[in-house]
Amino acid sequence: MESNSAVYGVSLAGAGFDLIKFIKQPQTIIRFLSWVFAIVVFASITAEGYVNSSSEDQVKCVFNRNDGACHYGVGIGVIAFLACIAFLLADVFLPSMSNAQERKYVVMADLGFSGAWTFLWFVCFCLMADQWSKTQDTRGIPTDAVHAVIAFSFFSIGSWGALSYFALVRFRRGVADVTQNYADPPADPTSPYPTTYMPPTYPSFQNTGQDIFQQPPFVPNPDPSGQSSYQPPVY
């Protein structure tokens, strides 16, 4: 469990960015590998995934002449390539986000995209392997490129699955950190003052219907007739 100075797996805003620590993080390494795997897949299909026979001028996909399989592999690879760059930048700027809600959205986007691309890479691997097994004429087809597409599609399943796991761990840790940071602190039994504020109470005055009057002390009683009972001494 991270300390209270971290939310969603990274330090709070204001902490310095440590490049070496960022590069050594398992999530950064796996994301970089996923980026490389995506390049291999779509570059291999783009460069050597289309061939034409001697009897026709139009090029066809090497995977059982199914252009849809090649288009799918290129599309998945290009989007994964761009997503890796975007989420790497998000990981860099995540510590500078002071709003925990914004961090939550970034982590949720990472979790959702990684989970979806784990499934799509699985579909890509199954599609490529199935179409290659159905290919009849392999003359003139660069088999090394075909094997690279199938192999790195399989590797991408594992790498994006690992990214999904790390994103899930970060999301759960972030929820726990936010709950812990905003919870009331426990009471300190050694403190002489109460930990919670108690508003002062005031006595309520009720009118009982009888006015009680008390004459203040040491108040002279004036003579209403203007005469005083004081008698001067006689010498």
Side-chain angles (χ1 to χ4, degrees):
M1 180 68 64
E2 295 287 339
S3 62
N4 289 346
S5 62
V7 176
Y8 289 100
V10 293
S11 302
L12 295 177
F17 176 73
D18 190 348
L19 179 61
I20 304 300
K21 182 180 179 181
F22 175 76
I23 294 175
K24 291 182 178 180
Q25 289 179 350
Q27 189 171 2
T28 304
I29 297 174
I30 296 176
R31 203 181 298 280
F32 176 77
L33 292 177
S34 300
W35 179 73
V36 174
F37 297 162
I39 293 177
V40 173
V41 171
F42 78 79
S44 298
I45 296 176
T46 303
E48 300 180 289
Y50 294 90
V51 295
N52 61 328
S53 61
S54 57
S55 59
E56 57 184 2
D57 296 333
Q58 187 177 3
V59 294
K60 291 291 184 179
C61 178
V62 297
F63 293 95
N64 197 27
R65 303 174 65 85
N66 185 356
D67 292 340
C70 287
H71 294 163
Y72 181 85
V74 171
I76 293 298
V78 170
I79 296 176
F81 167 80
L82 298 176
C84 287
I85 297 177
F87 283 113
L88 276 175
L89 294 177
D91 291 339
V92 171
F93 290 104
L94 193 64
S96 63
M97 297 181 183
S98 59
N99 192 341
Q101 196 71 13
E102 295 178 355
R103 295 186 178 196
K104 179 181 178 180
Y105 292 150
V106 173
V107 174
M108 289 179 62
D110 186 11
L111 176 60
F113 188 91
S114 299
W117 246 248
T118 302
F119 173 75
L120 293 178
W121 275 120
F122 174 75
V123 174
C124 182
F125 167 74
C126 294
L127 177 63
M128 297 300 179
D130 177 69
Q131 293 300 310
W132 177 244
S133 65
K134 295 178 180 179
T135 303
Q136 300 295 331
D137 187 7
T138 59
R139 292 175 300 177
I141 295 178
T143 57
D144 292 340
V146 173
H147 295 161
V149 171
I150 297 175
F152 283 93
S153 296
F154 178 76
F155 296 156
S156 296
I157 300 173
S159 64
W160 284 93
L163 290 175
S164 301
Y165 169 76
F166 284 117
L168 179 61
V169 171
R170 177 184 287 185
F171 177 76
R172 289 181 175 178
R173 183 180 301 172
V175 172
D177 290 338
V178 170
T179 304
Q180 184 177 1
N181 287 341
Y182 289 97
D184 292 335
D188 186 4
T190 62
S191 176
Y193 303 101
T195 57
T196 57
Y197 171 75
M198 298 296 294
T201 58
Y202 301 97
S204 60
F205 298 94
Q206 298 180 356
N207 188 6
T208 60
Q210 298 179 359
D211 295 335
I212 301 176
F213 175 76
Q214 181 179 2
Q215 184 176 0
F218 307 107
V219 176
N221 186 12
D223 187 0
S225 62
Q227 299 177 0
S228 176
S229 59
Y230 171 74
Q231 296 294 333
V234 178
Y235 300 98

